[in-house]
């Protein structure tokens, strides 16, 4: 089974701190994604990557950056955390070679910015 | 990607079939219908997907209308553990990104 893990389930940071959220998948998937989930807004795509060192902006990239130095790892970076970035963050991966593109999600990181 | 419309919430008795509808009237010919569910405090979990034929797996069945403008996810014998938010998504499968747009979904509550 595909396993997508995220570095923390719960995280509390202060405004202005630099925050790193790590995501690792163990099935050699090429595509990886970062979403945030907020009540009433569903899942919104922040960034995605379809190859090592490749990244593309999603729907809400402002205030975030990403890093993909290795195929299995996709990091989300909040350069200077703000209270409006308090949210549930979900990482996902997809294997495009099968042609079906179902996404496998990690358990999520609930980030609180004080 | 086409947008979908789902009821906000539904209830189902334990052991009965749960039928979750989804409207996707603007679906394109190359877009698939995907279903995911999210149990509280967990990440979404893939359930099933289809293009135009009905599909069945160990978790559920997917019925897609002939015009493809709507679909129904069927959980044949709902259990309390099936209580979750169910998302219907339509998107093109054969892209590099494979990104999905998740709306608010349907909150299914299975009651004893």
């Amino acid at each position: 089974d595909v396993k997508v893990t995220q570095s923390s389930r719960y995280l509390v940071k202060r405004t202005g701190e630099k925050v790193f959220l790590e995501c690792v998948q163990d099935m050699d998937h090429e595509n990886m994604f970062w979403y945030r989930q907020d009540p009433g807004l569903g899942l919104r795509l922040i960034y995605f990557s379809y190859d090592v060192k490749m990244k593309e902006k999603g729907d809400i990239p402002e205030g975030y950056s990403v890093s993909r130095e290795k195929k299995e790892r996709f990091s989300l970076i909040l350069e200077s955390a703000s209270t409006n970035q308090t949210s549930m963050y979900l990482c996902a991966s997809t294997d495009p070679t099968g042609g079906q593109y179902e996404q496998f999600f990690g358990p999520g990181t609930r980030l609180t910015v004080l | 990607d086409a947008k979908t419309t789902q009821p906000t919430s539904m209830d189902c008795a334990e052991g009965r079939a749960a039928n979750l509808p989804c409207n996707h009237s603007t679906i394109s010919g190359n877009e698939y219908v995907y279903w995911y569910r999210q149990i509280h405090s967990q990440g979404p979990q893939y359930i099933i997907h289809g293009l135009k034929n009905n599909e069945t797996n160990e978790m559920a069945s997917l019925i897609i209308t002939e015009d493809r403008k709507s679909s129904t996810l069927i959980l044949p014998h709902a259990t309390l553990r099936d209580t979750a938010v169910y998302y219907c998504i339509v998107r093109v499968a054969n892209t590099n990104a494979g990104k999905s747009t998740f709306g608010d979904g349907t909150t299914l509550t299975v009651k004893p």
Side-chain angles (χ1 to χ4, degrees):
Chain A
D1 283 350
V2 174
K3 195 168 183 182
V4 180
T5 57
Q6 295 182 227
S7 50
S8 306
R9 288 302 305 272
Y10 299 93
L11 207 54
V12 180
K13 295 292 182 181
R14 296 205 174 272
T15 301
E17 279 193 79
K18 191 169 186 176
V19 182
F20 292 88
L21 302 182
E22 303 283 337
C23 175
V24 177
Q25 49 92 5
D26 65 359
M27 287 299 291
D28 203 35
H29 283 179
E30 293 183 10
N31 298 351
M32 297 187 74
F33 309 82
W34 275 106
Y35 294 87
R36 63 177 282 177
Q37 184 174 32
D38 302 287
L41 297 175
L43 269 72
R44 293 180 291 167
L45 181 64
I46 304 171
Y47 267 96
F48 63 98
S49 167
Y50 52 85
D51 202 353
V52 175
K53 297 191 186 295
M54 303 297 287
K55 61 184 180 184
E56 287 198 23
K57 294 180 180 179
D59 300 320
I60 51 163
E62 298 77 21
Y64 303 94
S65 63
V66 290
S67 171
R68 187 134 181 236
E69 297 295 320
K70 293 184 178 181
K71 192 174 184 179
E72 67 271 17
R73 188 180 298 269
F74 192 34
S75 302
L76 180 69
I77 303 154
L78 288 66
E79 295 289 342
S80 178
S82 62
T83 55
N84 62 12
Q85 293 178 309
T86 291
S87 185
M88 168 71 91
Y89 289 88
L90 290 158
C91 174
S93 72
T94 293
D95 176 12
T97 57
Q100 302 302 301
Y101 290 89
E102 57 264 39
Q103 288 183 301
F104 297 89
F105 284 83
T109 296
R110 188 165 293 282
L111 173 67
T112 301
V113 182
L114 302 175
Chain B
D1 292 339
K3 293 196 173 179
T4 62
T5 304
Q6 298 177 253
T8 302
S9 63
M10 293 181 64
D11 291 342
C12 177
E14 188 178 18
R16 303 297 294 270
N19 298 286
L20 292 93
C22 180
N23 287 322
H24 31 80
S25 58
T26 60
I27 191 170
S28 301
N30 61 349
E31 287 182 315
Y32 285 70
V33 180
Y34 289 77
W35 283 84
Y36 290 79
R37 73 179 182 185
Q38 187 173 21
I39 296 170
H40 183 62
S41 296
Q42 297 182 22
Q45 175 193 22
Y46 165 80
I47 301 173
I48 198 167
H49 73 282
L51 183 62
K52 46 184 161 182
N53 297 325
N54 298 338
E55 302 287 343
T56 296
N57 64 19
E58 65 279 2
M59 290 183 69
S61 295
L62 174 61
I63 308 297
I64 302 173
T65 58
E66 194 168 340
D67 63 7
R68 302 209 322 123
K69 293 185 176 182
S70 66
S71 60
T72 301
L73 179 75
I74 301 172
L75 308 178
H77 305 286
T79 70
L80 299 179
R81 288 179 296 178
D82 291 323
T83 292
V85 179
Y86 287 78
Y87 297 98
C88 169
I89 297 150
V90 290
R91 61 174 169 84
V92 177
N94 197 21
T95 64
N96 275 335
K99 55 182 180 172
S100 301
T101 301
F102 286 70
D104 287 334
T106 297
T107 299
L108 174 69
T109 303
V110 181
K111 299 185 174 180

